[in-house]
Amino acid sequence: MSEDLLRVSDLRVSFRVGGLSARLAGRATEIEAVSGVSFTLQRGSTFALVGESGSGKTTLARTLNGLQPVRAGTILFEGQELQGLSNAALKPVRRRMPMMFQDPVGSLSPRLSVRSLLSEPFVIHGLSDRDLSAEVTRLLALVGLPRDFADRYPHQLSGGQARRVGVARAIALDPVLVVADEPTAGLDVSVQGEVLNLLNDLRDRMGLSMLIITHNLHVVRQIADRMAVMYLGRFVEQGETEAIFRAPHHPYTAALLSANPEPDPDRVHQRITLPADVPSLLARPSGCEFHTRCPQAQRRCAVDVPAPVAVGNSRLTCHFPLNT
Amino acid sequence: MTVLEVKNLNVAFHTESGRLEALKQVSFSVPANRSVGVVGESGCGKSTLINAILGLLADNGEITSGEIIFEGDQDLARLGPTAMRGLRGQSIATVFQDPMGALNPVLSVGRQMRDIQYRSGLSKRDKDARSVAMLRKVRIPDPESRLTQFPHEFSGGMKQRIAIAMALMMEPALLIADEPTTALDATLEVATIELLKDLQRDIGCSVLFISHHLGVIAELCDEMIVMYAGEVVESGTTREIFHDARHPYTQKLLACDPARLSQRVARLPTIAGTLPDLRRRPSGCVFQPRCDRADAQCLTTPPNAPIGGSHIAHCWHADVSLGAMSA
Ligand SMILES: Nc1ncnc2c1ncn2[C@@H]1O[C@H](COP(=O)(O)OP(=O)(O)OP(=O)(O)O)[C@@H](O)[C@H]1O
Ligand SMILES: Nc1ncnc2c1ncn2[C@@H]1O[C@H](COP(=O)(O)OP(=O)(O)OP(=O)(O)O)[C@@H](O)[C@H]1O
Ligand code: SF4
Ligand SMILES: [Mg+2]
Ligand SMILES: [Mg+2]
């Protein structure tokens, strides 16, 4: 249980942006979408990644899967370094670390029937000698879709049904770590419960580990042992989920958790509202990068970069942590 | 005034394995200046409903009967494709479930935002200025320099926000939004709800809003309808539904919301059973195969029970209130 399955150290990923004119004008032409991220994921555990839209969560997940080149840092998965591996060398890795993409319908090729979509992982990995129709039936049952859905095409599925097909594809082979980007977006609360119970079962039965990206904080609380909060490509706080929900230490985490909409029309919310101006990755703020929006900020926040500190079991970067 | 009135709408899809009744006798209305929420199990027909309203049903789908009255005088169920396209570009704006599909991958975001302002008569420069202002409203950082970027250069939530910005730029009479906040973090989600409320006040539009996030519906919508297997099983004000749900499906749906759990549980609540095969609808009440309260009458006769005022629950046992369902 305590064995490290994945160890990511000081990972950096960047994109070139802007055309020739921007480069000639001497404007920054690279953004670091993932900017020095470190964490470990233990075998059999679930790690949730939350944070601002555009903060680099998907980029981080794609990089783990070798879909985006590493600029600096290391990714150690089952003891093997992944950065810099060729596509061919990554193939067996992807079988052990399948990824579910953010966009449910768009990530399924429109021309392939559900049957072909579910057979594809076997074909790609040279396992077409298996009884594919039995595998398809098994997978459909596993994700709670009727058998005759094998003959449907993606556009004939509702958003939730497409999502279940995505789960089925991800768990088709022999995964040890499922990287799931918004695995329950577009599902109603009951089906969402089913998918999460399914993922939890697979974790218990097959010792599956999960890295889950989600904006649904209720989901995080129900499924993740540990969580990290991202802001501008960095982890501003990481630790045990329950502890963070009970007492967030970083002001951004506190604002995020306070925003969670509740199913009660008469609820009076006590929200921490953040100023709307989201900083640009092209011009990162000085000092603590959250200081431009932080309700807690003092003068020093604009100047000094906060070093990571441990508070309780959490690690965070803030000069004036809350709830200490 | 009623902006949209859907009356006894039926929609069927023709598939290789038979005819599938995706919507059955759907009726509800969207009053002026109001937001109406639509909730229901994945696959219950929410997107089909929207597509039927917009004249965008897949080729194998058709409206078999019913009316969709827009602004009191036009029946959208009978409108030709050209007239429909005109309405979609002007008085009805939409934000689709899949923001990736809503944006053209080969055109820059700025170009797409300029294109939808073709009616405005503004210069290119002024159009761009409006686009930038709108992108700023939906909190896209550096909007000026991002106009030249292409959709794949934005994160999932950014694409969703761009789609919302484009819909708002049209200043429509009716905004139809299918899961517009799923890719947004909680702070942005709340900000988007506020933005929609402001917009409603400023330009006086109505909103038809689909979401699985019950908290978002509770915050944004005045009224809501609950769908199950292509039928409206309950409708009323948002308060009536959240505090006094009467249909067993609604009660179960609300009980499944993890927002109601204050700590981690071993198994999340779910609704036992699956949606019925829409090619063979059950007799009597459509929820009867999964309902704990079903009796002989439920198995044979489709129910209809007004609770009072605008609150309607299609259930023979709608007198059973569970009290306030929300935490
Ligand atoms: N292919 C690309 N080219 C240029 N910039 C990119 C590219 N992909 C992502 N980015 C930028 O990198 C940043 C991080 O994007 P990413 O998709 O990782 O965010 P995210 O945290 O997953 O957001 P969301 O919650 O909205 O999905 C954003 O500023 C985005 O615009
Ligand atoms: N073109 C089609 N051909 C056949 N069946 C279809 C087609 N489009 C949708 N369906 C079916 O109609 C039903 C309703 O689908 P719809 O997409 O409207 O559901 P939804 O309520 O929007 O679900 P979700 O919440 O998962 O998005 C589903 O059972 C779906 O499989
Ligand atoms: S360091 Fe300062 S600005 Fe940054 S989060 Fe903490 S209090 Fe806020
Ligand atoms: Mg993302
Ligand atoms: Mg849908």
Side-chain angles (χ1 to χ4, degrees), chain B residues 204-236:
Chain B
C205 83
S206 300
V207 179
L208 183 62
F209 192 92
I210 294 186
S211 180
H212 288 304
H213 200 155
L214 299 173
V216 172
I217 299 271
E219 276 195 37
L220 176 71
C221 298
D222 308 294
E223 297 170 22
M224 63 192 281
I225 64 176
V226 182
M227 291 181 66
Y228 180 79
E231 299 183 23
V232 174
V233 292
E234 183 159 7
S235 57

Side-chain angles (χ1 to χ4, degrees), chain B residues 30-269:
Chain B
V30 184
N33 273 312
R34 296 264 146 190
S35 294
V36 175
V38 185
V39 300
E41 184 154 355
S42 300
C44 72
K46 302 179 298 295
S47 298
T48 302
L49 172 63
I50 284 185
N51 289 335
I53 294 170
L54 294 169
L56 294 175
L57 284 174
D59 291 342
N60 65 334
E62 65 166 326
I63 296 178
T64 50
S65 63
E67 295 170 62
I68 304 170
I69 310 296
F70 180 63
E71 294 192 311
D73 53 4
Q74 290 188 81
D75 184 357
L76 305 186
R78 274 160 200 81
L79 209 60
T82 320
M84 198 63 238
R85 216 172 299 127
L87 271 188
R88 282 202 304 270
Q90 209 165 16
S91 2
I92 306 182
T94 37
V95 180
F96 286 104
Q97 191 164 9
D98 169 19
M100 295 47 168
L103 298 170
N104 185 333
V106 301
L107 294 181
S108 73
V109 162
R111 165 78 192 278
Q112 296 185 56
M113 295 191 78
R114 216 180 294 136
D115 286 353
I116 59 161
Q117 302 178 64
Y118 68 101
R119 264 180 242 267
S120 68
L122 295 174
S123 67
K124 176 167 176 275
R125 191 195 205 96
D126 289 344
K127 282 182 192 157
D128 281 350
R130 251 190 103 215
S131 305
V132 166
M134 208 33 118
L135 289 176
R136 189 163 285 129
K137 265 199 178 162
V138 297
R139 301 193 179 186
I140 299 284
D142 299 309
E144 294 87 356
S145 66
R146 300 211 74 155
L147 282 184
T148 54
Q149 289 192 306
F150 291 84
H152 76 269
E153 297 179 278
F154 292 85
S155 77
M158 288 170 169
K159 277 183 276 214
Q160 205 161 39
R161 281 177 277 156
I162 293 167
I164 293 171
M166 287 171 60
L168 299 188
M169 272 169 96
M170 285 168 53
E171 306 200 340
L174 174 65
L175 172 70
I176 300 185
D178 194 349
E179 292 273 6
T181 63
T182 40
L184 304 183
D185 64 76
T187 41
L188 267 174
E189 187 166 51
V190 168
T192 306
I193 296 172
E194 293 305 325
L195 185 68
L196 289 176
K197 283 185 177 163
D198 289 351
L199 169 91
Q200 208 170 20
R201 207 183 34 236
D202 298 349
I203 68 171
C205 83
S206 300
V207 179
L208 183 62
F209 192 92
I210 294 186
S211 180
H212 288 304
H213 200 155
L214 299 173
V216 172
I217 299 271
E219 276 195 37
L220 176 71
C221 298
D222 308 294
E223 297 170 22
M224 63 192 281
I225 64 176
V226 182
M227 291 181 66
Y228 180 79
E231 299 183 23
V232 174
V233 292
E234 183 159 7
S235 57
T237 64
T238 308
R239 273 211 179 80
E240 283 164 341
I241 307 278
F242 278 98
H243 292 322
D244 189 24
R246 295 300 184 91
H247 195 283
Y249 172 67
T250 313
Q251 293 174 347
K252 282 176 190 280
L253 183 76
L254 296 182
C256 284
D257 191 350
R260 293 164 38 80
L261 307 170
S262 54
Q263 53 193 321
R264 189 160 172 179
V265 295
R267 282 198 86 71
L268 287 159

